[in-house]
Amino acid sequence: MRTALLQSSGRPGSIVEKLRVLDEAAGRAAAAGAELLTAPEMFLTGYAIGDDIGRLAEPADGDSADAIAEITGRHGLAIAYGYPERDGESVFNSAQLISADGTRLANYRKTHLFGRFERDHFTPGEQPVVQAELGGLTVGLMICYDVEFPEPVRAHALAGTDLLLVPTANMHPFQFVAESMIPVRAWENQMYVAYVNRIGEEGEFDFFGLSTLAGPDGVARARAGRGEELTFAEADPAVLKTSREANPYLTDRRPGLYGSLS
């Protein structure tokens, strides 16, 4: 499945502008043969927007989800994107996957909140594994800091995730996550991992880009720089099958020894 990574921050606070950027990127991605486009964490509104997070938060089936469903249908590809989700009095840092026919396939709420900023503005999610079937692959969703914990990524692997989408807002000085950790996560769990970051300065944060799609062999199939970029890579089921046979980490596990981990 040809996958497009949209490395962009757009204009924080303007949903209209973000939808325009997403529409334009979806058109370019579809023209390049992509079946899936992934945007960063909190793409819809911006990340470091303070109390505007609560003001701009929407339900998973809100107006922006409808607008993105229209974009997917018009361009004929699926889109995953980050946004602030309102559910009653709670606001979650969420990511949603919408299919090429406009169907809402999966919605994930970030389970591991990073730093005081996120803990002040969001409620943590409670469901670690959220998946959907897309293009012959089992696609999972996770957000930024979540992927830095080995346990939820392994939970995805055991649940059969083939391609893990990780919308991200990672900042200096944590470049090693994109450069080193993501390929290792893909290798040790025998899956593809698409890590899609923001760029530039927002408030106190300086996002470093370096979006990447790593394969089950630990090799980055695509790696962006530090500016606005639309990057492409393939997630190939045949490569997964061959790699999992050659590197049987999941079948060689001994769960009876790991009880102390929980």
PDB file of all heavy atoms in Angstrom, residues 74-97:
ATOM      1  N   ARG A  74     -13.443  12.569  -2.632  1.00  0.00           N
ATOM      2  CA  ARG A  74     -13.123  13.304  -3.854  1.00  0.00           C
ATOM      3  C   ARG A  74     -11.789  12.870  -4.441  1.00  0.00           C
ATOM      4  O   ARG A  74     -11.610  12.820  -5.661  1.00  0.00           O
ATOM      5  CB  ARG A  74     -13.137  14.806  -3.563  1.00  0.00           C
ATOM      6  CG  ARG A  74     -12.906  15.696  -4.740  1.00  0.00           C
ATOM      7  CD  ARG A  74     -13.579  17.051  -4.563  1.00  0.00           C
ATOM      8  NE  ARG A  74     -13.471  17.535  -3.192  1.00  0.00           N
ATOM      9  CZ  ARG A  74     -12.391  18.141  -2.689  1.00  0.00           C
ATOM     10  NH1 ARG A  74     -11.319  18.312  -3.443  1.00  0.00           N
ATOM     11  NH2 ARG A  74     -12.384  18.570  -1.440  1.00  0.00           N
ATOM     12  N   HIS A  75     -10.826  12.541  -3.565  1.00  0.00           N
ATOM     13  CA  HIS A  75      -9.493  12.171  -4.056  1.00  0.00           C
ATOM     14  C   HIS A  75      -9.268  10.661  -4.097  1.00  0.00           C
ATOM     15  O   HIS A  75      -8.258  10.206  -4.651  1.00  0.00           O
ATOM     16  CB  HIS A  75      -8.423  12.829  -3.186  1.00  0.00           C
ATOM     17  CG  HIS A  75      -8.412  14.321  -3.296  1.00  0.00           C
ATOM     18  ND1 HIS A  75      -8.063  14.983  -4.452  1.00  0.00           N
ATOM     19  CD2 HIS A  75      -8.734  15.285  -2.385  1.00  0.00           C
ATOM     20  CE1 HIS A  75      -8.157  16.299  -4.256  1.00  0.00           C
ATOM     21  NE2 HIS A  75      -8.555  16.507  -3.015  1.00  0.00           N
ATOM     22  N   GLY A  76     -10.145   9.875  -3.484  1.00  0.00           N
ATOM     23  CA  GLY A  76     -10.048   8.420  -3.583  1.00  0.00           C
ATOM     24  C   GLY A  76      -8.926   7.807  -2.784  1.00  0.00           C
ATOM     25  O   GLY A  76      -8.283   6.848  -3.236  1.00  0.00           O
ATOM     26  N   LEU A  77      -8.665   8.342  -1.582  1.00  0.00           N
ATOM     27  CA  LEU A  77      -7.666   7.734  -0.700  1.00  0.00           C
ATOM     28  C   LEU A  77      -8.092   7.938   0.748  1.00  0.00           C
ATOM     29  O   LEU A  77      -8.872   8.841   1.058  1.00  0.00           O
ATOM     30  CB  LEU A  77      -6.270   8.303  -0.935  1.00  0.00           C
ATOM     31  CG  LEU A  77      -5.861   9.622  -0.275  1.00  0.00           C
ATOM     32  CD1 LEU A  77      -4.380   9.880  -0.482  1.00  0.00           C
ATOM     33  CD2 LEU A  77      -6.675  10.800  -0.760  1.00  0.00           C
ATOM     34  N   ALA A  78      -7.600   7.059   1.621  1.00  0.00           N
ATOM     35  CA  ALA A  78      -7.895   7.169   3.046  1.00  0.00           C
ATOM     36  C   ALA A  78      -7.016   8.235   3.682  1.00  0.00           C
ATOM     37  O   ALA A  78      -5.920   8.521   3.199  1.00  0.00           O
ATOM     38  CB  ALA A  78      -7.673   5.821   3.733  1.00  0.00           C
ATOM     39  N   ILE A  79      -7.504   8.827   4.785  1.00  0.00           N
ATOM     40  CA  ILE A  79      -6.747   9.850   5.512  1.00  0.00           C
ATOM     41  C   ILE A  79      -6.795   9.549   7.003  1.00  0.00           C
ATOM     42  O   ILE A  79      -7.866   9.272   7.560  1.00  0.00           O
ATOM     43  CB  ILE A  79      -7.304  11.264   5.241  1.00  0.00           C
ATOM     44  CG1 ILE A  79      -7.088  11.666   3.783  1.00  0.00           C
ATOM     45  CG2 ILE A  79      -6.661  12.284   6.186  1.00  0.00           C
ATOM     46  CD1 ILE A  79      -7.664  13.027   3.423  1.00  0.00           C
ATOM     47  N   ALA A  80      -5.620   9.619   7.641  1.00  0.00           N
ATOM     48  CA  ALA A  80      -5.522   9.580   9.100  1.00  0.00           C
ATOM     49  C   ALA A  80      -4.995  10.937   9.561  1.00  0.00           C
ATOM     50  O   ALA A  80      -4.054  11.472   8.973  1.00  0.00           O
ATOM     51  CB  ALA A  80      -4.586   8.467   9.559  1.00  0.00           C
ATOM     52  N   TYR A  81      -5.576  11.484  10.623  1.00  0.00           N
ATOM     53  CA  TYR A  81      -5.194  12.832  11.062  1.00  0.00           C
ATOM     54  C   TYR A  81      -5.399  12.968  12.568  1.00  0.00           C
ATOM     55  O   TYR A  81      -6.239  12.300  13.179  1.00  0.00           O
ATOM     56  CB  TYR A  81      -6.039  13.887  10.343  1.00  0.00           C
ATOM     57  CG  TYR A  81      -7.524  13.821  10.681  1.00  0.00           C
ATOM     58  CD1 TYR A  81      -8.090  14.680  11.624  1.00  0.00           C
ATOM     59  CD2 TYR A  81      -8.349  12.870  10.081  1.00  0.00           C
ATOM     60  CE1 TYR A  81      -9.431  14.607  11.949  1.00  0.00           C
ATOM     61  CE2 TYR A  81      -9.695  12.791  10.394  1.00  0.00           C
ATOM     62  CZ  TYR A  81     -10.234  13.659  11.337  1.00  0.00           C
ATOM     63  OH  TYR A  81     -11.575  13.565  11.668  1.00  0.00           O
ATOM     64  N   GLY A  82      -4.622  13.871  13.165  1.00  0.00           N
ATOM     65  CA  GLY A  82      -4.749  14.145  14.585  1.00  0.00           C
ATOM     66  C   GLY A  82      -5.636  15.353  14.839  1.00  0.00           C
ATOM     67  O   GLY A  82      -5.645  16.307  14.055  1.00  0.00           O
ATOM     68  N   TYR A  83      -6.371  15.326  15.961  1.00  0.00           N
ATOM     69  CA  TYR A  83      -7.298  16.423  16.287  1.00  0.00           C
ATOM     70  C   TYR A  83      -7.684  16.343  17.759  1.00  0.00           C
ATOM     71  O   TYR A  83      -7.523  15.300  18.392  1.00  0.00           O
ATOM     72  CB  TYR A  83      -8.552  16.332  15.411  1.00  0.00           C
ATOM     73  CG  TYR A  83      -9.500  15.207  15.809  1.00  0.00           C
ATOM     74  CD1 TYR A  83     -10.721  15.486  16.420  1.00  0.00           C
ATOM     75  CD2 TYR A  83      -9.170  13.865  15.594  1.00  0.00           C
ATOM     76  CE1 TYR A  83     -11.584  14.470  16.800  1.00  0.00           C
ATOM     77  CE2 TYR A  83     -10.034  12.847  15.958  1.00  0.00           C
ATOM     78  CZ  TYR A  83     -11.236  13.160  16.565  1.00  0.00           C
ATOM     79  OH  TYR A  83     -12.090  12.142  16.948  1.00  0.00           O
ATOM     80  N   PRO A  84      -8.194  17.443  18.342  1.00  0.00           N
ATOM     81  CA  PRO A  84      -8.718  17.382  19.698  1.00  0.00           C
ATOM     82  C   PRO A  84     -10.174  16.919  19.662  1.00  0.00           C
ATOM     83  O   PRO A  84     -11.015  17.555  19.014  1.00  0.00           O
ATOM     84  CB  PRO A  84      -8.592  18.822  20.188  1.00  0.00           C
ATOM     85  CG  PRO A  84      -8.696  19.654  18.964  1.00  0.00           C
ATOM     86  CD  PRO A  84      -8.149  18.833  17.828  1.00  0.00           C
ATOM     87  N   GLU A  85     -10.455  15.843  20.358  1.00  0.00           N
ATOM     88  CA  GLU A  85     -11.797  15.254  20.338  1.00  0.00           C
ATOM     89  C   GLU A  85     -12.556  15.594  21.611  1.00  0.00           C
ATOM     90  O   GLU A  85     -12.083  15.341  22.720  1.00  0.00           O
ATOM     91  CB  GLU A  85     -11.696  13.730  20.215  1.00  0.00           C
ATOM     92  CG  GLU A  85     -13.060  13.046  20.242  1.00  0.00           C
ATOM     93  CD  GLU A  85     -12.977  11.552  20.458  1.00  0.00           C
ATOM     94  OE1 GLU A  85     -11.850  11.016  20.505  1.00  0.00           O
ATOM     95  OE2 GLU A  85     -14.041  10.911  20.597  1.00  0.00           O
ATOM     96  N   ARG A  86     -13.740  16.150  21.438  1.00  0.00           N
ATOM     97  CA  ARG A  86     -14.597  16.420  22.590  1.00  0.00           C
ATOM     98  C   ARG A  86     -15.616  15.310  22.749  1.00  0.00           C
ATOM     99  O   ARG A  86     -16.287  14.910  21.801  1.00  0.00           O
ATOM    100  CB  ARG A  86     -15.317  17.759  22.451  1.00  0.00           C
ATOM    101  CG  ARG A  86     -16.261  18.038  23.641  1.00  0.00           C
ATOM    102  CD  ARG A  86     -16.764  19.447  23.673  1.00  0.00           C
ATOM    103  NE  ARG A  86     -15.706  20.419  23.925  1.00  0.00           N
ATOM    104  CZ  ARG A  86     -15.172  20.646  25.122  1.00  0.00           C
ATOM    105  NH1 ARG A  86     -15.568  19.940  26.180  1.00  0.00           N
ATOM    106  NH2 ARG A  86     -14.231  21.555  25.258  1.00  0.00           N
ATOM    107  N   ASP A  87     -15.721  14.808  23.977  1.00  0.00           N
ATOM    108  CA  ASP A  87     -16.739  13.825  24.333  1.00  0.00           C
ATOM    109  C   ASP A  87     -17.301  14.249  25.686  1.00  0.00           C
ATOM    110  O   ASP A  87     -16.699  13.993  26.726  1.00  0.00           O
ATOM    111  CB  ASP A  87     -16.124  12.425  24.422  1.00  0.00           C
ATOM    112  CG  ASP A  87     -17.180  11.349  24.650  1.00  0.00           C
ATOM    113  OD1 ASP A  87     -18.356  11.696  24.834  1.00  0.00           O
ATOM    114  OD2 ASP A  87     -16.806  10.157  24.652  1.00  0.00           O
ATOM    115  N   GLY A  88     -18.437  14.946  25.674  1.00  0.00           N
ATOM    116  CA  GLY A  88     -18.980  15.497  26.901  1.00  0.00           C
ATOM    117  C   GLY A  88     -18.069  16.588  27.441  1.00  0.00           C
ATOM    118  O   GLY A  88     -17.675  17.505  26.736  1.00  0.00           O
ATOM    119  N   GLU A  89     -17.682  16.469  28.694  1.00  0.00           N
ATOM    120  CA  GLU A  89     -16.791  17.446  29.313  1.00  0.00           C
ATOM    121  C   GLU A  89     -15.316  17.123  29.086  1.00  0.00           C
ATOM    122  O   GLU A  89     -14.442  17.925  29.426  1.00  0.00           O
ATOM    123  CB  GLU A  89     -17.063  17.518  30.820  1.00  0.00           C
ATOM    124  CG  GLU A  89     -18.437  18.055  31.169  1.00  0.00           C
ATOM    125  CD  GLU A  89     -18.655  19.464  30.623  1.00  0.00           C
ATOM    126  OE1 GLU A  89     -17.776  20.314  30.837  1.00  0.00           O
ATOM    127  OE2 GLU A  89     -19.694  19.689  29.965  1.00  0.00           O
ATOM    128  N   SER A  90     -15.032  15.952  28.529  1.00  0.00           N
ATOM    129  CA  SER A  90     -13.650  15.517  28.337  1.00  0.00           C
ATOM    130  C   SER A  90     -13.145  15.888  26.946  1.00  0.00           C
ATOM    131  O   SER A  90     -13.899  15.875  25.968  1.00  0.00           O
ATOM    132  CB  SER A  90     -13.540  13.995  28.522  1.00  0.00           C
ATOM    133  OG  SER A  90     -13.880  13.624  29.841  1.00  0.00           O
ATOM    134  N   VAL A  91     -11.855  16.226  26.878  1.00  0.00           N
ATOM    135  CA  VAL A  91     -11.178  16.469  25.602  1.00  0.00           C
ATOM    136  C   VAL A  91     -10.011  15.499  25.498  1.00  0.00           C
ATOM    137  O   VAL A  91      -9.201  15.386  26.421  1.00  0.00           O
ATOM    138  CB  VAL A  91     -10.681  17.914  25.483  1.00  0.00           C
ATOM    139  CG1 VAL A  91      -9.879  18.111  24.196  1.00  0.00           C
ATOM    140  CG2 VAL A  91     -11.855  18.896  25.515  1.00  0.00           C
ATOM    141  N   PHE A  92      -9.929  14.788  24.383  1.00  0.00           N
ATOM    142  CA  PHE A  92      -8.893  13.788  24.156  1.00  0.00           C
ATOM    143  C   PHE A  92      -7.992  14.241  23.008  1.00  0.00           C
ATOM    144  O   PHE A  92      -8.436  14.906  22.079  1.00  0.00           O
ATOM    145  CB  PHE A  92      -9.513  12.428  23.805  1.00  0.00           C
ATOM    146  CG  PHE A  92     -10.382  11.859  24.871  1.00  0.00           C
ATOM    147  CD1 PHE A  92     -11.755  12.117  24.897  1.00  0.00           C
ATOM    148  CD2 PHE A  92      -9.846  11.057  25.875  1.00  0.00           C
ATOM    149  CE1 PHE A  92     -12.559  11.606  25.884  1.00  0.00           C
ATOM    150  CE2 PHE A  92     -10.648  10.530  26.870  1.00  0.00           C
ATOM    151  CZ  PHE A  92     -12.008  10.805  26.881  1.00  0.00           C
ATOM    152  N   ASN A  93      -6.729  13.857  23.081  1.00  0.00           N
ATOM    153  CA  ASN A  93      -5.791  14.024  21.982  1.00  0.00           C
ATOM    154  C   ASN A  93      -5.976  12.787  21.096  1.00  0.00           C
ATOM    155  O   ASN A  93      -5.534  11.699  21.444  1.00  0.00           O
ATOM    156  CB  ASN A  93      -4.365  14.105  22.526  1.00  0.00           C
ATOM    157  CG  ASN A  93      -3.334  14.376  21.450  1.00  0.00           C
ATOM    158  OD1 ASN A  93      -3.557  14.109  20.270  1.00  0.00           O
ATOM    159  ND2 ASN A  93      -2.177  14.869  21.860  1.00  0.00           N
ATOM    160  N   SER A  94      -6.640  12.949  19.960  1.00  0.00           N
ATOM    161  CA  SER A  94      -7.118  11.801  19.197  1.00  0.00           C
ATOM    162  C   SER A  94      -6.564  11.765  17.781  1.00  0.00           C
ATOM    163  O   SER A  94      -6.055  12.755  17.260  1.00  0.00           O
ATOM    164  CB  SER A  94      -8.657  11.792  19.147  1.00  0.00           C
ATOM    165  OG  SER A  94      -9.199  11.613  20.439  1.00  0.00           O
ATOM    166  N   ALA A  95      -6.688  10.595  17.168  1.00  0.00           N
ATOM    167  CA  ALA A  95      -6.359  10.402  15.755  1.00  0.00           C
ATOM    168  C   ALA A  95      -7.466   9.573  15.140  1.00  0.00           C
ATOM    169  O   ALA A  95      -7.923   8.586  15.737  1.00  0.00           O
ATOM    170  CB  ALA A  95      -5.018   9.705  15.589  1.00  0.00           C
ATOM    171  N   GLN A  96      -7.885   9.968  13.963  1.00  0.00           N
ATOM    172  CA  GLN A  96      -8.984   9.276  13.292  1.00  0.00           C
ATOM    173  C   GLN A  96      -8.564   8.851  11.886  1.00  0.00           C
ATOM    174  O   GLN A  96      -7.819   9.563  11.209  1.00  0.00           O
ATOM    175  CB  GLN A  96     -10.221  10.169  13.218  1.00  0.00           C
ATOM    176  CG  GLN A  96     -11.426   9.508  12.580  1.00  0.00           C
ATOM    177  CD  GLN A  96     -12.741  10.071  13.095  1.00  0.00           C
ATOM    178  OE1 GLN A  96     -13.614   9.311  13.489  1.00  0.00           O
ATOM    179  NE2 GLN A  96     -12.907  11.383  13.097  1.00  0.00           N
ATOM    180  N   LEU A  97      -9.054   7.690  11.477  1.00  0.00           N
ATOM    181  CA  LEU A  97      -8.805   7.151  10.134  1.00  0.00           C
ATOM    182  C   LEU A  97     -10.127   7.085   9.391  1.00  0.00           C
ATOM    183  O   LEU A  97     -11.079   6.452   9.868  1.00  0.00           O
ATOM    184  CB  LEU A  97      -8.177   5.764  10.236  1.00  0.00           C
ATOM    185  CG  LEU A  97      -7.968   4.991   8.930  1.00  0.00           C
ATOM    186  CD1 LEU A  97      -6.986   5.710   8.010  1.00  0.00           C
ATOM    187  CD2 LEU A  97      -7.493   3.571   9.218  1.00  0.00           C
TER     188      LEU A  97
END
